[in-house]
Amino acid sequence: MDLHIAGQPPERDERAAVDSVLGPLQFGKLESHHLQQERPARSQRHLLLPVLHAINCRIGWISPGALNYACGRLNLPPAEAFGVADFYGLFSMTPRPRVVIHVCDDIACLMRGAPAICEHLAGRLGPAGAAKPSAKLTWLRSPCLGLCDRAPAALVSAAGREPWECALAPTSADALLAAAEQPERRPEPPPVAASLSVPQQGQQELRLLRRVGRLQPESLEDYLAEGGYEALRRAVDLGPERVIREVIDSRLVGRGGAAFPAGRKWEAVYRARSTQPARYLVCNADESEPGTFKDRVIMEEDPFLLIESMTIAGLATGCEQGFLYIRGEYPVAFERLSHAVRQARKHGFLGKQILNLDLSFDIEIRRGAGAYICGEETALFNSIEGYRGEPRNKPPFPTEVGLFGRPTLVNNVETLVNVPGIVLWGGRSFAGIGTPGSTGTKLFCLSGHVARPGVYEVPFGASLASLLDLAGGVAGTGRLQGVLVGGAAGTFLSPRELDTPMTFEGTRAIGAALGSAVVMPFDDSVDLSKILLRIAAFFRDESCGQCVPCRVGTVRQEEALSRLFGGHAEGVGQAPLQLAEIGQVMSDASICGLGHTASSAIQSALARWAEFSDLRQGSVPED
Amino acid sequence: MEKKKPVTQESFPFIASAPSPTVPVPPGPIPAPPPAASRNEVALTIDGKTARVPEGSTLLEACKTQGIDTPTLCYLENLNPVNVCRVCVVELEGARTLVPACSRRVENGMVVRTDSERVRLSRRMVLEFLASSVDVSTAPELQSYLERYGGQPERYGPAAQAAGEPEAGPAGVHAAPDGLTAATVAQPVKIDNDLYVRDYGKCILCYKCVQACGEEAQNTFAIAVAGRGFDSRISTEFSVPLPDSACVYCGNCIGVCPTGALMFKSEYDMREAGNWKESEQQRTDTICPYCGVGCTLTLHVQDNQIVKATSPLDQEVTRGHLCIKGRFGWQFVRGKDKKKSS
Ligand SMILES: Cc1cc2nc3c(=O)[nH]c(=O)nc-3n(C[C@H](O)[C@H](O)[C@H](O)COP(=O)(O)O)c2cc1C
Ligand code: SF4
Ligand code: SF4
Ligand code: SF4
Ligand code: FES
Ligand code: FES
């Protein structure tokens, strides 16, 4: 392939942004024939996403000069790189103001003041995304930012030589405008006590959350003082096969949504060592399911726990390289984990000689860039490799052909942080907690109309009602209309179903799924039609666009819903049948889980619509 | 010139900790799943009958041996299956979802249904989705499938006002629907060179042109898929016109496009003028005279004029692909003729 790169040479800032990731160009001044000569290996493509981040951070958008320069350095055709960059919501392919306010208008924030914030910003700055590039700032609507416990939420980012990002929650239009006023200085977000996100903080029974609030998240010393890295030592004593045995015995099931037994994957990746010496570990921290924020809380409050867990997993399965893929909208988690990785390396917990033994494992952190679909494991591989985040066809499964085509162990953050406990206290003892089908404790994300939103840890088996009680009961009017379980890809349940056990098997028995353990109740004043429309819009926005059932189905689904709720005479009668058929083709014929579940919440709500309406009628008049 | 502050790692808090370019990526090509040994036969049940096919065959090939005609749109025998259109799905016993026949390999004991209610519904919906969002007027194959499965694309409402060029705004943003109309990909035709036009209002996003331009034939990578979701589209970098892109006008993308979204300029002009008469055209196979490779050319002739050139997919040398000379060389011949006659 001969690269064809047209256009102007890069400006200084454009080159600096790219060089900050790739290192300075060896040949001095860049001329077109240098582009031809300087041919790094094709495998450098995996640096495309970090390079795009650097460009967007520095220039404020992905400018042609910067992209072309990056393509020359990475030996990538510009059309391909453009297609990758244009896939991600956080990158702009056209010039825009340096400061961007991303206002969450997703479900939890929708109920807690996001519409008023958007209206205010629209009044001050014009419609979302409409500001001229020369303006000081612009604003955009954003899907769930994973801060639902502190809704309403927003993320402010400022590009430039000293870029910054800042998540603000709870926030207000005035606070956002004030933060955006001074792009030179990162605003100090008001300190948030860990106990706000973890109301159970300090309780004895906690396992996964036991250190939250007891340590400085940045401090390796604190972590060690709280029993950190004991599990790694124990794992090294036990050896890979025993560790994997314990994970199998624990009957730990993946917490990322697909509910796959963790031990089976670990074993498969370990076994693959005979044919494939190079294997990878990937920690999926792309947490983007609306209503989900459990992984963020772990990463922000106990970052070393995740690093230790990944190290155990890597050493047990024989993967020398781990990747931690954190969603782009989590700046605090990214910073704390980057810091933790550096500290761990410095103190011999990562790198070539872990614990001064002949053990080698290291972690690369990668940031997503605004794409829910990149949480799907094979889309995540493509994203790391520098391709568009489009899911791959399965089979083959990741344990056979995963990242860079190698056998890969991919696990969710919460799945992994269960492992130190399993190693320390034994798989059998872990399996004794919870129910036979759902072992251990589980983190639930409570937000919406509950008195005390936050992440709650309970042994598996608790009912939906007891979870609501734990979080202080139904807030708002105090009268429950329904509960969204599992997030946008989940199921609406009615008050009749409150005694459902929140286990994998208990939810499955009523045709629901635990998903990412979202529990979001709505009081009887909420107009659920608005919530359903928001969910439909979410899937339309987040479909990768690869397959027809989902690419067009998510559009037709949103249209049919708005026909149904808009009360337009023509077509209303047809809408329910259309929605059912759209739902069926999406779940039957789509490539991946996004399409398979894109109609689930909507269909479940429509099936209970009469019940919800009765409850709503009982209270406020419908608007 | 204004003096600029030196750039240090410290000036980029986020980038300072960005990954170093030293990630150990294993050397050598990415291993593909092992090719199935072809000698052995596999037995499976298709629509109640037993079929025996060589190991490694796809369900599509297996269906063909049973005389079952499976609709396909994104599949082409000379390209790797991308399995994105999903019109070929069949029901596989034991699988939670339907599976794409074009890429799923046969396994012993599979029980497959190709005409169940579930299969028919999915195929009909996929076709309705395409026909309601894309201009399929020059895609006769798709139209015939639509008829076969009784699709009613009108039922989603009248087409929404064309939004114009689709490239504005970051991924994941769209205007709320009005509850009346159906969104489409309608947009202005791109006419930016003399050889072929790109009418992406007719694009079903089958990925074939991208494959043909890239790794699987031309190795030029002038076009790629950009955008996300319903806003996905085939694009050059920053949507630059073709003459500014890497395109070498091999026309291989035109050769694989199933909908007429990519079309010879000559054909486009004749269609616009109402002179395109496919039924009156004759096809003649010949060997391309321009070089020693010896590609087979199929010349399409109407009223004693060559109107386009294609190449048969089953041809050993080219597998359907050509270069600019074979694909467009006849235009120069015709151009000269024209000049003479005028
Ligand atoms: C659309 C979509 C989004 C997903 N997002 C996530 C995610 O953000 N985090 C996650 O851990 N798993 C996510 N998953 C599930 C992953 O594909 C995968 O099953 C999981 O990471 C495996 O880890 P586990 O076995 O530990 O659960 C998603 C799946 C789909 C289909
Ligand atoms: S189901 Fe949706 S997200 Fe998944 S591959 Fe298809 S278009 Fe992409
Ligand atoms: S004509 Fe050839 S080079 Fe140009 S876009 Fe088509 S396939 Fe690519
Ligand atoms: S332009 Fe044609 S070949 Fe390319 S994706 Fe669209 S329909 Fe397929
Ligand atoms: S942060 Fe707004 S809905 Fe989750
Ligand atoms: S032909 Fe099989 S998915 Fe398109």
Side-chain angles (χ1 to χ4, degrees):
Chain A
M1 173 186 58
D2 280 329
L3 277 192
H4 169 98
I5 297 175
Q8 298 293 309
E11 305 266 333
R12 196 175 137 157
D13 272 6
E14 294 175 324
R15 189 186 311 188
V18 176
D19 288 352
S20 71
V21 178
L22 300 180
L25 188 62
Q26 301 298 336
F27 298 105
K29 247 181 93 185
L30 179 88
E31 279 161 21
S32 58
H33 64 272
H34 281 128
L35 282 178
Q36 299 294 324
Q37 273 173 21
E38 217 244 345
R39 286 264 172 99
R42 194 164 169 84
S43 59
Q44 293 247 33
R45 180 163 185 159
H46 67 98
L47 293 170
L48 179 59
L49 188 52
V51 165
L52 291 172
H53 263 299
I55 297 172
N56 205 64
C57 254
R58 178 75 177 245
I59 317 293
W61 63 293
I62 308 293
S63 60
L67 190 78
N68 286 339
Y69 175 68
C71 285
R73 303 243 14 226
L74 293 170
N75 196 27
L76 267 179
E80 286 254 314
F82 177 83
V84 172
D86 198 31
F87 185 83
Y88 294 101
L90 290 182
F91 298 150
S92 176
M93 306 312 291
T94 48
R96 72 175 175 197
R98 270 179 67 192
V99 180
V100 184
I101 306 175
H102 302 266
V103 184
C104 174
D105 70 346
D106 219 326
I107 316 174
C109 295
L110 190 61
M111 293 192 286
R112 288 198 181 228
I117 295 181
C118 293
E119 206 172 298
H120 191 110
L121 291 183
R124 286 284 298 277
L125 307 171
K132 288 202 187 71
S134 56
K136 250 173 102 176
L137 69 158
T138 186
W139 74 285
L140 293 170
R141 294 170 186 274
S142 165
C144 176
L145 290 168
L147 292 159
C148 327
D149 52 329
R150 291 187 263 138
L155 179 76
V156 188
S157 65
R161 297 232 171 130
E162 295 182 42
W164 52 262
E165 282 163 296
C166 183
L168 294 167
T171 191
S172 65
D174 289 336
L176 289 171
L177 288 168
E181 262 314 296
Q182 293 183 303
E184 282 66 44
R185 226 186 44 233
R186 170 195 205 136
E188 267 315 307
V192 182
S195 58
L196 205 67
S197 285
V198 182
Q200 292 166 304
Q201 185 196 312
Q203 291 181 11
Q204 288 299 318
E205 316 77 58
L206 297 180
R207 293 170 74 104
L208 302 175
L209 299 175
R210 73 179 181 285
R211 288 193 196 88
V212 171
R214 297 168 60 105
L215 42 63
Q216 285 293 324
E218 290 86 4
S219 167
L220 177 57
E221 228 166 73
D222 280 14
Y223 183 67
L224 291 171
E226 287 287 332
Y229 280 108
E230 275 171 23
L232 177 65
R233 284 176 211 282
R234 171 108 181 104
V236 168
D237 287 345
L238 293 175
E241 295 190 2
R242 255 302 290 286
V243 170
I244 293 172
R245 185 80 254 150
E246 296 297 335
V247 175
I248 292 171
D249 286 348
S250 74
R251 299 210 302 278
L252 172 66
V253 165
R255 309 298 201 227
F260 193 84
R264 292 243 301 275
K265 284 195 207 170
W266 285 46
E267 198 179 19
V269 173
Y270 178 68
R271 287 246 164 95
R273 74 190 186 287
S274 50
T275 50
Q276 283 289 347
R279 284 154 296 143
Y280 292 107
L281 167 71
V282 172
C283 173
N284 188 341
D286 193 48
E287 188 167 73
S288 311
E289 182 67 48
T292 316
F293 45 90
K294 61 189 178 63
D295 297 345
R296 173 182 59 79
V297 168
I298 296 255
M299 291 191 285
E300 289 182 358
E301 301 301 335
D302 199 357
F304 285 102
L305 174 62
L306 180 57
I307 301 300
E308 179 181 2
S309 307
M310 285 182 71
T311 311
I312 296 172
L315 293 180
T317 55
C319 303
E320 286 198 7
Q321 182 68 46
F323 286 86
L324 170 54
Y325 188 96
I326 305 180
R327 83 174 284 202
E329 293 89 339
Y330 279 178
V332 179
F334 175 69
E335 269 170 59
R336 292 196 179 159
L337 278 156
S338 302
H339 175 82
V341 164
R342 286 192 296 268
Q343 289 288 306
R345 266 192 209 131
K346 193 163 144 198
H347 292 92
F349 292 107
L350 278 179
K352 291 266 176 255
Q353 293 203 306
I354 293 174
L355 304 180
N356 287 324
L357 298 166
D358 186 19
L359 297 170
S360 159
F361 177 74
D362 213 332
I363 296 174
E364 280 286 338
I365 300 184
R366 292 300 166 93
R367 301 185 73 193
Y372 166 66
I373 189 57
C374 288
E376 198 281 337
E377 53 199 13
T378 58
L380 193 158
F381 301 155
N382 278 342
S383 179
I384 292 181
E385 290 179 25
Y387 293 87
R388 291 163 56 79
E390 292 173 353
R392 302 174 184 169
N393 213 34
K394 288 189 262 190
F397 291 95
T399 50
E400 308 153 33
V401 183
L403 186 63
F404 299 112
R406 307 290 157 151
T408 301
L409 173 63
V410 47
N411 273 134
N412 168 258
V413 171
E414 185 190 346
T415 313
L416 286 169
V417 297
N418 271 293
V419 169
I422 291 171
V423 168
L424 284 176
W425 302 308
R428 292 259 155 79
S429 114
F430 185 93
I433 305 168
T435 68
S438 308
T439 57
T441 61
K442 178 79 193 94
L443 302 180
F444 287 94
C445 312
L446 279 102
S447 67
H449 282 136
V450 281
R452 287 189 301 275
V455 177
Y456 289 83
E457 179 177 1
V458 294
F460 266 118
S463 69
L464 184 50
S466 62
L467 279 178
L468 296 184
D469 286 345
L470 195 60
V474 178
T477 65
R479 292 181 305 265
L480 184 66
Q481 181 179 178
V483 189
L484 177 60
V485 170
T491 319
F492 279 94
L493 298 181
S494 78
R496 256 184 326 111
E497 295 160 298
L498 281 185
D499 52 3
T500 306
M502 294 300 281
T503 56
F504 295 110
E505 64 277 15
T507 46
R508 205 174 296 139
I510 59 161
L514 213 48
S516 54
V518 168
V519 174
M520 200 187 287
F522 302 91
D523 77 9
D524 62 356
S525 74
V526 174
D527 178 359
L528 281 189
S529 69
K530 293 210 170 77
I531 307 290
L532 294 194
L533 281 168
R534 183 64 188 92
I535 291 175
F538 173 80
F539 283 113
R540 174 183 176 162
D541 284 337
E542 300 299 333
S543 161
C544 84
Q546 195 181 188
C547 66
V548 177
C550 169
R551 178 177 76 238
V552 188
T554 52
V555 174
R556 295 289 176 257
Q557 172 171 266
E558 190 192 12
E559 288 167 352
L561 259 191
S562 76
R563 208 147 50 232
L564 186 68
F565 294 136
H568 293 293
E570 330 88 274
V572 173
Q574 275 194 27
L577 172 69
Q578 267 182 28
L579 282 166
E581 291 189 344
I582 293 167
Q584 192 176 339
V585 66
M586 287 199 291
S587 45
D588 264 356
S590 296
I591 293 179
C592 86
L594 187 147
H596 296 154
T597 56
S599 60
S600 153
I602 288 160
Q603 288 300 324
S604 66
L606 293 182
R608 295 163 177 79
W609 202 247
E611 253 174 284
F612 292 149
S613 294
D614 286 349
L615 291 165
R616 214 153 51 224
Q617 305 280 301
S619 66
V620 241
E622 291 220 14
D623 58 355
Chain B
M1 249 184 81
E2 153 201 22
K3 247 208 148 136
K4 288 176 184 164
K5 214 171 91 190
V7 184
T8 62
Q9 284 251 305
E10 281 65 48
S11 20
F12 303 72
F14 298 102
I15 298 158
S17 40
S20 60
T22 56
V23 181
V25 176
I30 286 170
S38 53
R39 285 292 112 78
N40 298 336
E41 283 214 326
V42 167
L44 68 164
T45 311
I46 303 179
D47 293 340
K49 294 198 199 101
T50 306
R52 285 176 197 287
V53 293
E55 199 177 345
S57 312
T58 59
L59 286 175
L60 183 68
E61 288 157 347
C63 287
K64 207 167 164 192
T65 65
Q66 301 301 295
I68 296 167
D69 173 25
T70 311
T72 60
L73 288 169
C74 67
Y75 171 81
L76 202 63
E77 54 206 274
N78 64 347
L79 298 173
N80 277 325
V82 283
N83 45 248
V84 294
C85 78
R86 317 304 277 185
V87 79
C88 68
V89 286
V90 297
E91 195 168 343
L92 171 64
E93 217 168 87
R96 198 166 39 85
T97 60
L98 304 177
V99 302
C102 64
S103 63
R104 187 59 177 258
R105 308 234 169 243
V106 292
E107 286 163 40
N108 251 324
M110 275 182 162
V111 178
V112 174
R113 273 179 289 275
T114 70
D115 204 34
S116 63
E117 267 310 302
R118 247 177 110 191
V119 170
R120 294 190 64 86
L121 178 114
S122 273
R123 290 184 180 175
R124 168 167 62 81
M125 294 298 286
V126 162
L127 293 161
E128 281 184 355
F129 283 171
L130 288 174
S132 64
S133 58
V134 181
D135 169 4
V136 296
S137 61
T138 50
E141 207 174 26
L142 197 155
Q143 287 175 21
S144 75
Y145 295 149
L146 193 65
E147 204 165 298
R148 171 160 145 200
Y149 288 96
Q152 295 175 290
E154 333 65 64
R155 68 182 178 129
Y156 301 99
Q161 280 295 317
E165 295 294 336
E167 34 267 350
V173 177
H174 72 274
D178 58 11
L180 293 168
T181 55
T184 71
V185 298
Q187 57 189 284
V189 187
K190 288 184 162 62
I191 307 179
D192 53 16
N193 67 85
D194 292 338
L195 298 181
Y196 77 99
V197 303
R198 298 176 294 150
D199 185 356
Y200 290 128
K202 292 178 172 175
C203 172
I204 59 167
L205 223 67
C206 71
Y207 286 56
K208 283 177 185 168
C209 54
V210 177
Q211 286 182 295
C213 187
E215 253 147 26
E216 300 195 22
Q218 181 55 34
N219 237 358
T220 294
F221 300 91
I223 46 173
V225 182
R228 191 170 78 200
F230 194 68
D231 305 321
S232 294
R233 62 194 186 279
I234 307 295
S235 181
T236 57
E237 65 273 22
F238 296 97
S239 316
V240 299
L242 271 191
D244 296 344
S245 79
C247 176
V248 297
Y249 303 98
C250 65
N252 288 332
C253 52
I254 316 172
V256 296
C257 181
T259 63
L262 307 178
M263 197 181 269
F264 287 85
K265 178 81 168 23
S266 51
E267 177 176 347
Y268 178 81
D269 289 342
M270 287 173 79
R271 281 181 186 270
E272 288 289 287
N275 296 333
W276 184 259
K277 294 173 194 128
E278 198 136 341
S279 55
E280 295 172 17
Q281 289 170 7
Q282 278 150 12
R283 298 174 177 212
T284 329
D285 281 2
T286 173
I287 300 292
C288 178
Y290 282 98
C291 77
V293 175
C295 305
T296 305
L297 284 185
T298 305
L299 298 176
H300 301 237
V301 179
Q302 180 182 326
D303 298 332
N304 287 326
Q305 288 257 331
I306 303 169
V307 293
K308 80 174 171 189
T310 56
S311 182
L313 294 189
D314 52 8
Q315 215 264 346
E316 284 224 347
V317 183
T318 57
R319 299 181 58 78
H321 305 308
L322 295 170
C323 76
I324 182 169
K325 292 178 237 161
R327 187 81 63 182
F328 294 105
W330 54 271
Q331 290 206 352
F332 303 118
V333 178
R334 200 172 96 168
K336 271 189 224 142
D337 287 355
K338 262 193 191 156
K339 266 193 210 121
K340 263 187 228 157
S341 61
S342 64

